Amino acid sequence: FHEALIESYIPEMGSDANLLYKVKEYWSWLSRSFTGSERYMKDIRKAKNLPEYKAAVRNLMANCKLEHRQNF
């Protein structure tokens, strides 16, 4: 899902900076669904280009457990 979201935004955003702004906002909300995501969110927020951002997201997904919540 995440890769599809990024790929769909690329033509609309016009630049990596605009794209990163949009998807970082998405992660500020989504990160609350992962246990221990604070450290990895710092890397996501600090990412300056798409490869850095994708690496930070991969690290979060690989190292944080997705919580299943009833009330979000």
Side-chain angles (χ1 to χ4, degrees):
F1 171 77
H2 180 256
E3 285 295 320
L5 179 68
I6 290 174
E7 294 303 317
S8 68
Y9 274 142
I10 288 173
E12 293 182 32
M13 294 293 116
S15 72
D16 280 1
N18 290 337
L19 173 64
L20 288 175
Y21 176 76
K22 186 70 123 179
V23 293
K24 285 178 183 181
E25 285 298 314
Y26 168 75
W27 272 103
S28 68
W29 173 78
L30 186 62
S31 68
R32 293 180 266 165
S33 298
F34 290 86
T35 57
S37 64
E38 299 82 16
R39 174 177 173 245
Y40 301 97
M41 276 305 299
K42 183 177 178 182
D43 293 336
I44 290 172
R45 285 190 296 272
K46 289 174 60 177
K48 294 182 175 124
N49 56 50
L50 204 49
E52 285 179 12
Y53 166 79
K54 286 182 175 183
V57 169
R58 276 192 304 273
N59 284 335
L60 183 147
M61 290 183 167
N63 294 296
C64 299
K65 183 180 177 184
L66 179 63
E67 295 180 10
H68 298 282
R69 297 182 182 187
Q70 292 291 330
N71 299 322
F72 204 132

